[in-house]
């Protein structure tokens, strides 16, 4: 097993904040009891490598694990926006989680008391093997680190090092029947813990619980992740602890947080944002620079990097958020301007 510690060398004081945590991820995860020695990197799939390749440089030989880690030792000044991990403080302090309020700072402010352990996640519907998972079960899957772009429909974006496992691993355990064509997800509904659920003003007008859905082939795609951590630690409540979905080629609202229910279903399930504004938010919600939101352009995005005045850059938005090579085939015969 190749050691990653050497990549710390050459970092100035300024650089050794969030990134040092990230680079020491193996030690941190081991302390948390996530992994036996070395198992996290060893379990990284080729798909994780593909997204890392894309984000973190094209000119470096892969490490033994298939990671291309070397660009992480660059200082921020040497990197392009595509190569900068968004600062941990931004990822955990600039959030959309309307159950805790609609301002970007509300989730961090209001979510800290969310009880995430014990937790129950059920998998049911059109399956031969219904499942009930508790908190500890979430950490028994083979965890991988995945660096994904997150592109919010509001036209800002981040680059986030998640820890999680493919949703497909869970769905295969549940063994979907041949009637299963879609997957429906539901967030915890608990107005006592979630102030945004108490009335329609504090929760942005959404109906709760927050619900989302995917076609089964999208749900089984190897990029589709259930995340249980970021920056090498368990998820903060504001990012959707203890388990949230990530569908990196779709707008962020598809990536439903704090999931308690996953159901395999026959028909396309309702989704929260589509329900309140169907002409603005489609079921598919694939990132597409050519299909504008009725009220703003989707051609570019504000990439949030380290925060601070002038540090964000406006960059062109990519079709399928840069994951076209992996996912375009899912939509081969579809008109993406209609199925937006
Ligand atoms: N339950 C729930 N999930 C949610 C949301 C929400 O309000 N409630 N917001 C979505 C939106 S709009 C985005 S952009 C992402 C933000 O994830 P982050 O705060 O971890 O960056 O979460 C998504 N998942
Ligand atoms: Mo979003």
């Amino acid at each position: 097993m190749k050691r990653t510690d050497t990549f710390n060398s050459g970092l100035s004081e300024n650089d050794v904040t969030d990134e040092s945590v990230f680079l020491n991820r193996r030690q941190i995860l081991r302390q948390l009891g996530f992994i036996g020695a070395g198992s996290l990197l060893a379990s990284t799939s080729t798909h994780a490598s593909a997204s890392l390749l894309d984000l973190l440089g094209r000119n470096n030989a892969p490490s033994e694990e298939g990671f291309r880690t070397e660009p992480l030792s660059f200082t921020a000044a040497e990197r392009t926006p595509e190569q900068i991990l968004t600062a941990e403080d931004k990822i955990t302090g600039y959030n959309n989680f309307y159950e805790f309020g609609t301002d970007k700072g509300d989730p961090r402010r209001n979510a800290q008391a969310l009880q995430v352990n014990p937790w129950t996640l059920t998998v049911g519907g059109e399956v031969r093997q219904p499942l009930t998972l508790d908190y500890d079960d979430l950490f028994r899957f083979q965890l991988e680190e995945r660096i994904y772009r997150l592109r919010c429909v509001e036209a800002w974006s981040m680059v986030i090092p998640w820890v999680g496992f493919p949703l497909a691993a869970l769905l295969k355990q549940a063994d979907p029947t041949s009637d299963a064509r879609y997957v429906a997800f539901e967030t915890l509904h608990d107005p006592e813990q979630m102030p945004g659920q108490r009335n329609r003003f504090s929760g942005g007008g959404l109906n709760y619980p927050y619900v989302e859905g995917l076609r089964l082939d999208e749900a089984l795609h190897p990029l589709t992740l259930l995340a249980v951590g970021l920056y090498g630690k368990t998820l903060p409540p504001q990012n959707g602890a203890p388990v949230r979905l990530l569908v990196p080629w779709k707008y962020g609202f598809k990536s439903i947080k704090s999931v308690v229910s996953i159901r395999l279903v026959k028909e396309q399930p309702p989704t929260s944002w589509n329900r309140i504004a169907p002409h603005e938010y489609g079921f598919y919600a694939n990132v597409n620079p050519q299909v504008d939101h009725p009220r703003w352009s989707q051609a570019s995005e504000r990439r949030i990097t380290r925060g601070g005045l002038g540090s964000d850059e406006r960059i062109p938005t990519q079709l399928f958020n840069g994951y076209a090579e992996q996912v375009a085939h899912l939509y081969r015969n579809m008109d993406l301007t209609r199925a937006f």
Side-chain angles (χ1 to χ4, degrees):
M1 194 65 166
K2 194 166 170 178
R3 291 180 62 81
T4 53
D5 310 22
T6 52
F7 295 117
N8 269 323
S9 60
L11 289 177
S12 73
E13 187 70 57
N14 266 349
D15 300 309
V16 187
T17 49
D18 310 321
E19 282 80 2
S20 67
V21 173
F22 174 72
L23 290 166
N24 287 325
R25 61 193 180 276
R26 291 170 64 205
Q27 278 116 297
I28 294 159
L29 286 170
R30 208 175 299 137
Q31 281 160 17
L32 284 170
F34 281 8
I35 53 171
S39 73
L40 178 73
L41 291 182
S43 71
T44 299
S45 76
T46 53
H47 290 281
S49 311
S51 62
L52 274 165
L53 283 178
D54 203 25
L55 288 167
L56 297 173
R58 294 139 222 275
N59 309 321
N60 297 282
S63 68
E64 282 169 31
E65 300 84 13
F67 263 115
R68 296 193 177 194
T69 38
E70 201 173 336
L72 292 174
S73 70
F74 290 3
T75 64
E78 289 170 314
R79 298 183 208 163
T80 69
E82 265 299 85
Q83 294 170 323
I84 301 174
L85 292 173
T86 299
E88 187 176 4
D89 184 57
K90 286 282 149 189
I91 297 170
T92 61
Y94 187 91
N95 301 100
N96 279 332
F97 198 167
Y98 276 20
E99 286 87 336
F100 294 101
T102 55
D103 286 347
K104 293 289 184 284
D106 284 344
R108 176 151 71 189
R109 226 179 349 259
N110 300 330
Q112 296 315 311
L114 177 68
Q115 192 180 10
V116 300
N117 184 12
W119 192 262
T120 305
L121 168 62
T122 60
V123 185
E126 294 292 339
V127 295
R128 287 183 198 86
Q129 192 59 249
L131 303 171
T132 303
L133 284 76
D134 66 20
Y135 182 85
D136 291 334
D137 292 333
L138 299 171
F139 299 90
R140 292 203 176 96
F141 287 84
Q142 232 189 35
L143 299 179
E144 305 174 18
E145 189 161 73
R146 299 276 185 104
I147 299 176
Y148 283 165
R149 302 177 198 89
L150 178 85
R151 190 353 179 128
C152 177
V153 75
E154 298 163 336
W156 54 265
S157 63
M158 299 185 181
V159 178
I160 305 180
W162 302 102
V163 178
F165 56 90
L167 174 62
L170 177 59
L171 296 184
K172 278 168 191 160
Q173 283 187 14
D175 196 8
T177 71
S178 57
D179 283 335
R181 293 183 54 230
Y182 293 88
V183 185
F185 304 84
E186 216 173 280
T187 293
L188 178 70
H189 187 229
D190 184 352
E192 290 209 353
Q193 293 199 78
M194 296 174 148
Q197 294 180 339
R198 285 177 212 153
N199 66 63
R200 26 178 55 255
F201 302 106
S202 57
L206 291 176
N207 293 311
Y208 293 103
Y210 192 103
V211 290
E212 259 305 335
L214 295 172
R215 234 169 43 193
L216 182 59
D217 59 343
E218 298 176 320
L220 291 173
H221 191 283
L223 283 177
T224 304
L225 202 71
L226 283 177
V228 295
L230 68 80
Y231 264 112
K233 293 170 282 194
T234 54
L235 285 179
Q238 62 269 33
N239 292 95
V243 60
R244 62 92 57 89
L245 184 68
L246 288 166
V247 197
W249 69 95
K250 294 177 180 286
Y251 290 119
F253 65 82
K254 299 295 288 183
S255 292
I256 182 173
K257 295 177 170 180
S258 304
V259 177
V260 293
S261 164
I262 299 177
R263 288 181 59 79
L264 286 285
V265 293
K266 292 177 187 165
E267 311 285 344
Q268 182 177 303
T271 60
S272 282
W273 281 100
N274 179 254
R275 217 151 45 177
I276 63 163
H279 57 294
E280 297 190 338
Y281 309 104
F283 175 81
Y284 283 95
N286 291 314
V287 174
N288 191 336
Q290 272 154 23
V291 177
D292 286 338
H293 189 281
R295 290 182 281 133
W296 59 83
S297 165
Q298 295 291 25
S300 68
E301 65 204 52
R302 176 173 57 95
R303 173 60 55 83
I304 299 171
T305 54
R306 307 188 69 76
L309 205 63
S311 76
D312 298 345
E313 268 191 63
R314 189 146 282 275
I315 59 172
T317 287
Q318 304 180 69
L319 181 62
F320 298 115
N321 203 22
Y323 302 100
E325 208 176 297
Q326 291 98 320
V327 303
H329 69 275
L330 297 173
Y331 311 103
R332 212 168 334 187
N333 298 316
M334 288 174 56
D335 177 353
L336 297 175
T337 64
R338 285 167 174 277
F340 60 88

